[in-house]
């Protein structure tokens, strides 16, 4: 029986080529697909709530996928995150829950939030470098 899973993903986009799977580049979607294959042995497509560009970070991106292999939420969350950590990727699955088959990460979304931080000063930011736009 197919199970639909909703996951919430957090990632540091530095070194990643955005969300969408690309054959020759490391992406969030591609890494999740590979991790699912490793965890379940299944070829599952991971659908995101939206796409991000290369270098963009996310604190709570929602995605979903369907698998046949029964799992517990903790196994999905921890198994996918463990695979990412083994590969040295800054991608973490914050939560995982089984949802109804009519849930769709993109089409079921009711809002999206974007945060842009501008550092408007002469001194170059050191602590937040890579996370702010320096002007």
């Amino acid at each position: 029986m197919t199970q639909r899973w909703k996951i919430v993903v957090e990632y540091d986009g530095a070194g990643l080529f955005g969300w969408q799977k690309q054959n020759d580049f490391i992406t969030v979607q591609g890494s999740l697909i590979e991790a699912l294959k490793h965890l379940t042995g299944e070829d599952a497509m991971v659908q995101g709530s939206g796409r991000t560009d290369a270098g963009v970070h996310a604190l709570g991106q929602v995605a979903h996928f369907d698998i046949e292999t029964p799992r517990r939420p903790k196994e999905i969350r921890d198994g996918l995150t463990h695979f990412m950590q083994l590969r040295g990727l800054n991608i973490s699955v914050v939560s995982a829950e089984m949802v109804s088959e009519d849930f769709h990460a993109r089409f079921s979304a009711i809002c999206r939030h974007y945060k842009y931080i501008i550092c408007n000063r002469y001194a170059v930011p050191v602590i937040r470098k890579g996370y702010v736009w320096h002007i």
Side-chain angles (χ1 to χ4, degrees):
M1 180 175 156
T2 301
Q3 298 176 335
R4 177 155 291 182
W5 286 90
K6 170 189 167 187
I7 57 173
V8 177
V9 184
E10 176 179 296
Y11 52 90
D12 181 324
L16 298 173
F17 287 82
W19 169 267
Q20 190 170 359
K21 182 180 178 189
Q22 300 180 48
N23 290 333
D24 299 326
F25 300 100
I26 298 173
T27 67
V28 180
Q29 183 185 42
S31 297
L32 287 167
I33 290 169
E34 190 176 337
L36 270 171
K37 175 74 171 179
H38 183 74
L39 183 65
T40 66
E42 297 180 42
D43 293 313
M45 176 51 70
V46 178
Q47 300 290 331
S49 57
R51 292 187 279 181
T52 55
D53 292 332
V56 173
H57 316 297
L59 292 174
Q61 176 140 9
V62 175
H64 81 269
F65 55 86
D66 298 328
I67 56 172
E68 299 288 332
T69 310
R71 297 288 179 182
R72 295 186 327 248
K74 182 181 180 336
E75 289 178 281
I76 296 291
R77 183 196 66 213
D78 296 350
L80 295 178
T81 298
H82 178 72
F83 181 80
M84 301 300 171
Q85 300 305 304
L86 284 177
R87 292 195 56 212
L89 299 171
N90 290 321
I91 304 171
S92 182
V93 175
V94 177
S95 65
E97 65 178 292
M98 233 181 335
V99 293
S100 66
E101 66 182 32
D102 63 339
F103 174 83
H104 192 284
R106 181 175 167 208
F107 301 120
S108 298
I110 55 173
C111 68
R112 290 174 175 83
H113 296 275
Y114 301 91
K115 183 177 183 178
Y116 301 91
I117 303 172
I118 299 169
C119 180
N120 187 12
R121 69 179 193 203
Y122 181 77
V124 175
V126 175
I127 302 298
R128 297 183 297 166
K129 187 176 184 176
Y131 299 96
V132 300
W133 180 24
H134 180 234
I135 296 178

